[in-house]
Amino acid sequence: MSRVLVLFASSHGQTRAIAGAIAARLRERGHVAEVADAGTGLAHLPPPEDYDAAILGSRVEYGDHARSILAYVARHRERLAAMPTAFFSVSMAASEPGPDPAGYLARFTAATRWKPGRVIAIAGALRYTSYRLVTRVTMKLIAWRKHRPTDTSRDHVFTDWSVVTRFADDVVGDLRDVATPLPVAPPS
């Protein structure tokens, strides 16, 4: 059993949902998974030293990953490099074919100078009902250009949950040799 931090940054809830699904799958597979929202501020986030592994995830908004995730990696890069890690990037570009649509993963690793053991681009959602007016109009225009749904009266989810499950299972495979020892009861 390993203790795993699942740290995420989400603007409209899809990255939060994906982080929750990853943590749930880790728990199903016998690990302890703690989910933390990077939006609470860097000072309030648990350090990676408290865990056997860390999975970080960020939404892509207007072409950029969340500053809070970038700052967390900058602060903890050395420790993250010394432990099993994974990173997931959530964007609409990830609904396109290819391992790194729009180059978001490459830009993230270049900007942070951190190379997680496992990375993946996961398709997000058009959460029209949670967008403010300017964002809703902008996203509708982008969606129209990309031939995606433009009905703003409802949300449109593109996340392939089987991809999320496989990613979590792959991380579990990475944890086979990393575990926090369970307390042993003294002999009677």
Side-chain angles (χ1 to χ4, degrees):
M1 170 184 71
S2 295
R3 289 192 68 219
V4 183
L5 172 63
V6 181
L7 177 67
F8 72 92
S10 186
S11 292
H12 299 284
Q14 194 63 16
T15 306
R16 174 189 306 274
I18 292 167
I22 290 168
R25 184 64 174 179
L26 292 171
R27 290 180 194 120
E28 286 173 12
R29 302 290 302 274
H31 298 280
V32 175
E34 180 179 325
V35 180
D37 183 347
T40 62
L42 196 55
H44 302 292
L45 297 177
E49 293 82 18
D50 294 349
Y51 300 90
D52 299 310
I55 303 170
L56 279 60
S58 177
R59 88 314 186 248
V60 173
E61 190 169 52
Y62 301 113
D64 295 316
H65 286 99
R67 279 183 255 165
S68 56
I69 291 292
L70 297 171
Y72 188 86
V73 172
R75 177 179 278 186
H76 300 289
R77 184 178 13 261
E78 245 181 70
R79 176 60 184 137
L80 290 169
M83 65 192 301
T85 56
F87 177 73
F88 64 97
S89 173
V90 180
S91 69
M92 287 308 302
S95 64
E96 302 290 327
D100 188 11
Y104 292 135
L105 292 171
R107 284 199 301 277
F108 176 81
T109 55
T112 61
R113 299 182 329 272
W114 171 53
K115 185 161 175 52
R118 191 169 294 283
V119 296
I120 190 170
I122 299 174
L126 287 169
R127 294 201 172 252
Y128 288 123
T129 61
S130 68
Y131 299 154
R132 292 182 176 190
L133 180 61
V134 172
T135 303
R136 186 171 33 250
V137 170
T138 303
M139 293 308 292
K140 183 176 180 174
L141 178 62
I142 292 168
W144 177 78
R145 285 186 189 150
K146 296 283 188 175
H147 305 288
R148 294 197 179 104
T150 56
D151 175 4
T152 60
S153 68
R154 64 184 200 87
D155 296 334
H156 305 272
V157 176
F158 297 90
T159 304
D160 182 339
W161 295 104
S162 67
V163 168
V164 174
T165 300
R166 277 194 307 275
F167 175 70
D169 287 346
D170 289 345
V171 170
V172 167
D174 297 342
L175 298 175
R176 283 197 181 100
D177 296 329
V178 180
T180 301
L182 296 174
V184 176
S188 326

